[in-house]
Amino acid sequence: MKVTFRVPRFDAATDFTAKYQVYHVEVNQFTTILDALNIIKDEQDSSLTFRRGSQSGIDGSCGMMINGRNRLASTTRVLSLNTTEIAVGPLPGFPVIRDLVVDFDSFFAKDAVMLPYLVTDIAKPADGKERLQSPKDANRIALAASCNQCGCCTSACPVHWSNGEYYGPSALTRAYRFVEDSRDTAIKARLDIVGSETGVWRCHTVFNCSECPKSIPNGENIQALKRKIMLNKIGLGRIEVKVARTEATV
């Protein structure tokens, strides 16, 4: 089957607005959007620019808008869209560098603010090896820990579009992953960060961010952080807050 792809062409160094280009690609039942873009680049137009990283949805570099929805190009099969005309575009809400490539500098800077690593004063086990969790505790953070930072959730957030200082769903889910980690002891510091003016209270509970390619409930994670902050303020300390879908198998 031959499918038509409509792709914006833009170079931030020389262009003021994008112009659109149309390509036609022969696809089969296994062809993904990223496969089709690779065919275009290899056989029709080598100047087309996009990220392709692992090409298997692991690193999240292929996040883009496909027919009006943020998806991973490497895990979206062309025929699953049930159309012969596909519009592909860069993730909204981020500065476009070229064609389908956006600038993620501010995105990763906000992630770094979340202290994205284990902080603990719990002594190491006697054998000197890793601090283990129970399967139940591990499952509580399994979905959040599976985030590949594709940016699809933050790109879909209308607050992010209008307020560049807002941390956004991806960074806040990162904070949630460590707040819920039974081995982490920096909960107070983490809640102070996400409870700031640019944190969870800027979320308007639109829940666009929960349309995640990895099925991570980002919107629910942000609401759980809000409850954690309130419980912490009244001195209830580490309170178990159950979040929908966190028990699902990754």
Side-chain angles (χ1 to χ4, degrees), residues 52-238:
R52 42 189 167 182
S54 68
Q55 306 199 43
S56 57
I58 295 174
D59 65 352
S61 64
C62 60
M64 58 186 71
M65 176 168 277
I66 301 168
N67 276 7
R69 179 178 169 185
N70 292 345
R71 313 170 196 250
L72 296 181
S74 62
T75 59
T76 303
R77 291 188 178 181
V78 174
L79 297 187
S80 72
L81 301 176
N82 296 316
T83 178
T84 57
E85 296 185 2
I86 296 176
V88 180
L91 288 177
F94 292 107
V96 178
I97 298 174
R98 183 164 180 167
D99 298 340
L100 301 176
V101 176
V102 298
D103 186 345
F104 270 135
D105 282 355
S106 64
F107 176 80
F108 288 120
K110 292 171 182 174
D111 182 76
V113 172
M114 298 298 132
L115 310 176
Y117 43 82
L118 187 70
V119 178
T120 183
D121 55 12
I122 299 174
K124 285 186 178 180
D127 60 7
K129 296 183 179 179
E130 61 187 310
R131 298 173 176 87
L132 299 178
Q133 287 183 294
S134 69
K136 180 181 178 181
D137 287 342
N139 198 44
R140 286 180 62 83
I141 61 173
L143 269 178
S146 72
C147 175
N148 60 9
Q149 294 187 291
C150 65
C152 288
C153 60
T154 297
S155 169
C157 174
V159 179
H160 167 73
W161 302 340
S162 60
N163 182 353
E165 299 300 315
Y166 175 49
Y167 289 137
S170 178
L172 294 173
T173 278
R174 177 80 90 177
Y176 169 85
R177 175 251 179 275
F178 287 100
V179 166
E180 287 293 321
D181 193 316
S182 59
R183 302 161 298 180
D184 196 277
T185 56
I187 297 175
K188 176 68 166 54
R190 297 185 189 283
L191 293 182
D192 286 345
I193 293 170
V194 300
S196 65
E197 290 187 0
T198 52
V200 295
W201 306 113
R202 297 281 77 78
C203 170
H204 293 181
T205 62
V206 176
F207 285 95
N208 282 359
C209 57
S210 289
E211 293 290 327
C212 166
K214 304 283 284 186
S215 300
I216 299 170
N218 295 291
E220 290 87 340
N221 292 344
I222 294 172
Q223 305 319 304
L225 286 173
K226 290 178 180 178
R227 291 193 292 273
K228 283 276 189 184
I229 292 169
M230 295 305 298
L231 291 170
N232 185 268
K233 284 187 179 298
I234 59 177
L236 294 180
R238 187 163 204 149

